[in-house]
Amino acid sequence: MSQRKGFLCSLLSKPVLKGSAVAATVLALLMLFYLPATATVTYEISDGENTYRIESNESDVSEVLDEAGIEHSDIDLIQTSEEDEVVSVSITRRQYVTVVCDDVSTSMLIHTGDTVADVLEHMNIQLGEYDQISMDLAETPEAGSTIEVYRASITYRTESTPLPYSSVRMVDPEMDRGEEAVTQEGVEGSHNVTYRIIEVEGSEPVEELFSETTVDPVDEVVSYGTKVYFERPTGYSTTSEYITNIDDEAGTFTTSKGDTYSFSGTVTLEATAYTARSGAICSTGRLARVGVVAVDPDYIPYGTEMFIMSADGSFVYGVAVAGDCGGAIDNWDVDLYMNSRSDCINFGRRDVVAYMITGEVDA
């Protein structure tokens, strides 16, 4: 301005400027140097969904907004940019809300229009599966509102019902008959039901089924023996087969040939021997041969199958069927067919044990 004054003074001091010409010149110079320069600026204002376009001589954006009658506060975010001689003004409304989480209360400045979910994301608050919140996640909180997060406490309770084990008996052909031993200890099982208990502040606890499992019991195994020690017959016998195992519980016996028979019981018989001519027919119509024995049918029914041997195993007749009778056979007598008279004489009379394979006898 001092330069302008000096320039003006120099002009006024020149003698050529006289009268009205001087006055006009002075007025023009005063307007040039002393009147403030004013320029009109175009403002395009975006306020949420509303857009305004105004012309203003103001350079201060706050004053421009006041001039346009647009209310705003110090916490609102106002951003400006200029392009093609148009000043763009963007207003982002902001407000304070309070978030209470994990016993901490935080006042937070958010954008108007942010949802509760946006607020939690800004604060990096993660919600557990069973956590609750005082407002809906999609809700837009008002200024000054409080958002409360209620954490869930989860505990578990298990109820167990014992499952008793069973005792199983298993045959051991290598163990002596009459012996037994526990070869596997029994272990009790359990049926387990687990409940999940969800507790949230201000709400009743909720209990729900979480899991259900069963631990099967382990059976006790008791092994028992069936092995017997009947030696292979060395004297007179009609077969080389002999009994190696007797399972009293299963009601079976096994021979040296590996054949297993079921039997209903045993009976001790007084045995004699007989023979007949080749082709002879027994009283039941069977061919007389080794394996067909004569009995008293009132005691041992015809057709009954037996395995006959001496009590000590020294003589084995083998598998026989009751298929004949005789006048001298009475009660618990049995007459064993032999191939020759000499075999009958060698056998003589002795007691034998009959394992009843089919049929039952009441001894």
Side-chain angles (χ1 to χ4, degrees):
M1 183 63 71
S2 60
Q3 292 179 349
R4 288 185 180 183
K5 288 181 179 180
F7 176 68
L8 181 59
C9 292
S10 64
L11 287 176
L12 293 175
S13 64
K14 292 184 181 294
V16 295
L17 296 177
K18 296 182 179 180
S20 61
V22 172
T25 301
V26 171
L27 179 61
L29 290 175
L30 287 173
M31 292 178 62
L32 175 65
F33 287 97
Y34 286 95
L35 290 179
T38 59
T40 301
V41 178
T42 301
Y43 291 92
E44 190 170 90
I45 304 170
S46 297
D47 183 9
E49 295 180 354
N50 300 317
T51 301
Y52 309 93
R53 191 179 183 93
I54 66 172
E55 306 288 333
S56 176
N57 294 326
E58 298 291 344
S59 59
D60 185 281
V61 174
S62 180
E63 293 181 1
V64 172
L65 296 177
D66 292 340
E67 184 179 297
I70 299 174
E71 295 183 359
H72 58 94
S73 67
D74 294 339
I75 62 175
D76 292 335
L77 179 62
I78 300 175
Q79 296 173 300
T80 61
S81 63
E82 185 175 352
E83 184 177 354
D84 297 333
E85 298 183 354
V86 175
V87 177
S88 296
V89 180
S90 174
I91 304 174
T92 302
R93 302 293 182 176
R94 297 194 293 186
Q95 61 189 24
Y96 281 101
V97 296
T98 300
V99 179
V100 179
C101 179
D102 300 326
D103 297 326
V104 176
S105 180
T106 303
S107 181
M108 183 179 180
L109 187 62
I110 67 170
H111 295 167
T112 302
D114 281 354
T115 64
V116 172
D118 294 330
V119 175
L120 298 184
E121 183 178 356
H122 294 328
M123 296 190 66
N124 197 28
I125 294 175
Q126 303 292 327
L127 292 179
E129 181 180 359
Y130 299 99
D131 292 342
Q132 296 182 11
I133 192 168
S134 61
M135 301 175 66
D136 189 273
L137 289 173
E139 187 176 348
T140 302
E142 297 180 354
S145 60
T146 299
I147 303 170
E148 295 185 72
V149 176
Y150 307 108
R151 295 296 191 189
S153 171
I154 300 177
T155 56
Y156 297 88
R157 176 175 60 84
T158 299
E159 296 179 356
S160 295
T161 303
L163 301 177
Y165 61 83
S166 300
S167 184
V168 179
R169 295 180 66 79
M170 296 186 64
V171 61
D172 184 349
E174 298 303 317
M175 183 182 293
D176 291 346
R177 181 187 184 191
E179 291 186 0
E180 62 180 53
V182 176
T183 53
Q184 177 176 286
E185 296 291 341
V187 179
E188 191 177 69
S190 62
H191 180 70
N192 307 303
V193 180
T194 299
Y195 298 93
R196 176 165 47 199
I197 304 168
I198 305 168
E199 296 182 88
V200 181
E201 181 183 356
S203 302
E204 290 294 325
V206 175
E207 186 171 301
E208 61 184 20
L209 177 66
F210 178 70
S211 66
E212 189 170 1
T213 60
T214 298
V215 178
D216 294 328
V218 177
D219 289 339
E220 175 189 65
V221 176
V222 179
S223 297
Y224 64 92
T226 61
K227 189 173 184 178
V228 292
Y229 292 91
F230 294 131
E231 297 181 0
R232 181 189 300 273
T234 56
Y236 172 76
S237 290
T238 58
T239 178
S240 62
E241 187 176 18
Y242 60 98
I243 294 177
T244 58
N245 293 84
I246 300 175
D247 189 339
D248 297 292
E249 297 187 15
T252 62
F253 66 86
T254 304
T255 68
S256 56
K257 290 183 178 180
D259 297 328
T260 298
Y261 299 89
S262 297
F263 71 102
S264 59
T266 63
V267 61
T268 300
L269 305 174
E270 184 177 353
T272 55
Y274 77 104
T275 189
R277 60 180 174 78
S278 177
I281 302 299
C282 300
S283 60
T284 60
R286 296 174 183 269
L287 181 66
R289 59 176 177 81
V290 173
V292 178
V293 299
V295 298
D296 181 345
D298 290 336
Y299 286 80
I300 300 178
Y302 288 137
T304 300
E305 289 186 317
M306 301 164 280
F307 189 93
I308 299 174
M309 60 182 288
S310 62
D312 61 2
S314 60
F315 167 81
V316 179
Y317 189 75
V319 176
V321 60
D324 202 0
C325 65
I329 303 303
D330 187 25
N331 298 332
W332 296 110
D333 294 340
V334 64
D335 210 4
L336 310 179
Y337 182 89
M338 303 289 183
N339 283 325
S340 65
R341 181 179 174 81
S342 60
D343 289 343
C344 294
I345 293 173
N346 286 334
F347 179 76
R349 179 185 294 271
R350 66 180 78 182
D351 288 340
V352 295
V353 176
Y355 291 82
M356 311 307 291
I357 298 174
T358 61
E360 296 184 4
V361 295
D362 185 5

